[in-house]
Amino acid sequence: MRVNERIRVPEVRLVGPNGEQVGIVRIEDALRLAQEADLDLVEVAATARPPVCKLMDFGKYKYETAQKARESRRNQTNTVIKEMKLRPKIDPHDYETKKGHVVRFLKAGDKVKITIMFRGREQSRPELGFRLLQRLAEDVTELGFVESSPRQDGRNMIMVLGPHKKKSEARVDVEAEKAERKAAREADEEAERVERAEQVQAHEAERAAGVTKKPKGPADNLDPE
C-alpha cells in the first residue's frame, strides 16, 4: 500500500474515514484533508482509474490487520494423524494403555489410525482384529467416530477414528482442563500452608501460656495415697 507522499498521481477518488464518498479530488487537496484530520492518505485500490484512497490511521490499521492474521493462524486446524498399533490377542492391561493413548489423541482433536498386526496363523482369523477394532471404537465413542471402517491391508487391518471436536475447540478444552487442574493444585497447596500456619500458631500459644507438657516420670504413675 502506498501512503501519503508515496502516492504519485494527479488525482484520486477519495473516501472519508467513515466510508463516506468525497469524490474525485486533486492529490494535493487529499493530502491537505488528511493532514487536517490528523490521518493518513492510504491507497486502497491502485488499479482503479483514478486510484481510490481512504483517510485512515495507517498505524492502527496495520496493528489490527496483524492481530487478525495472528488470530486466524491460531484458529487454523492442522490435521494430524496419530497411529496406534495393536495385536489381535492383546492382554487387558496393554489394551487399556493403548486405549488411554487413543483417548488422549482424540481429546487433542487429532485423528487416530489404528493398525491391527497379524502374524503367522493369526492371518487366518481376521475376525479377531475386526472385533477388537469394534470394541475400541465403542469404548471411545464419546470422543470420536469411525471415519474409515476396518479394512484389510496385507497382513494388517486398519481403521481410522476421527475426533468429534475440531482441533481449535479441543485446544480450548485442553487449556481449560489444565487451568482447572492448576487452580485445584494451588488451592490444595494454600490449604496445606494455612493448616501448617495454624499448627505453628497453636504450638506458640501453648508455649506462651506455659502449658507445654513435660514427659511423665515413674513417680507420676504412683497413687498419692
Side-chain angles (χ1 to χ4, degrees):
M1 283 185 168
R2 293 189 294 181
V3 182
N4 297 327
E5 285 75 14
R6 294 180 59 192
I7 305 173
R8 300 183 181 278
V9 292
E11 58 184 16
V12 298
R13 184 177 297 277
L14 187 62
V15 179
N18 297 318
E20 65 274 18
Q21 297 291 329
V22 178
I24 298 176
V25 300
R26 295 188 308 159
I27 186 64
E28 295 83 3
D29 294 335
L31 289 171
R32 178 178 52 80
L33 290 172
Q35 188 174 11
E36 290 175 354
D38 196 22
L39 295 171
D40 299 297
L41 182 66
V42 181
E43 189 178 58
V44 294
T47 58
R49 292 292 179 267
V52 179
C53 294
K54 184 176 182 179
L55 299 177
M56 68 172 73
D57 184 338
F58 190 59
K60 180 180 178 182
Y61 169 79
K62 288 198 299 182
Y63 173 78
E64 292 177 347
T65 301
Q67 287 289 93
K68 290 178 181 178
R70 278 195 292 269
E71 188 67 23
S72 177
R73 287 194 298 270
R74 189 180 298 116
N75 292 332
Q76 281 181 348
T77 57
N78 298 321
T79 303
V80 177
I81 298 181
K82 303 290 186 178
E83 187 170 7
M84 187 60 56
K85 296 182 178 180
L86 294 79
R87 295 295 307 281
K89 295 182 179 179
I90 189 171
D91 66 69
H93 179 267
D94 285 345
Y95 174 79
E96 291 299 325
T97 301
K98 299 280 188 178
K99 185 181 74 173
H101 293 314
V102 174
V103 167
R104 179 163 52 85
F105 295 148
L106 292 174
K107 278 186 175 181
D110 296 323
K111 295 182 181 182
V112 189
K113 176 183 175 183
I114 312 296
T115 302
I116 304 294
M117 301 180 296
F118 297 95
R119 294 179 183 174
R121 296 181 179 178
E122 293 174 347
Q123 296 181 58
S124 63
R125 301 288 305 280
E127 68 276 6
L128 295 177
F130 184 79
R131 284 200 295 266
L132 181 59
L133 290 176
Q134 280 189 317
R135 174 188 173 190
L136 180 59
E138 291 174 359
D139 287 347
V140 299
T141 187
E142 293 184 359
L143 299 171
F145 61 95
V146 178
E147 185 175 286
S148 178
S149 300
R151 60 181 177 82
Q152 195 76 27
D153 183 15
R155 291 188 296 178
N156 300 328
M157 183 174 287
I158 297 172
M159 176 181 73
V160 177
L161 296 174
H164 288 312
K165 294 184 179 180
K166 295 180 179 179
K167 197 168 183 66
S168 57
E169 297 173 348
R171 188 185 299 117
V172 172
D173 291 343
V174 169
E175 292 299 326
E177 189 176 339
K178 287 182 180 178
E180 186 176 345
R181 288 200 301 267
K182 181 180 179 182
R185 185 171 62 252
E186 290 177 349
D188 291 341
E189 293 173 353
E190 181 62 24
E192 290 179 3
R193 284 196 294 269
V194 171
E195 185 177 357
R196 286 196 298 268
E198 290 177 347
Q199 291 175 351
V200 171
Q201 289 177 355
H203 182 65
E204 293 294 334
E206 289 181 358
R207 290 183 61 184
V211 296
T212 304
K213 296 182 180 180
K214 64 178 182 178
K216 286 186 177 182
D220 293 327
N221 294 323
L222 298 177
D223 189 338
E225 296 298 331

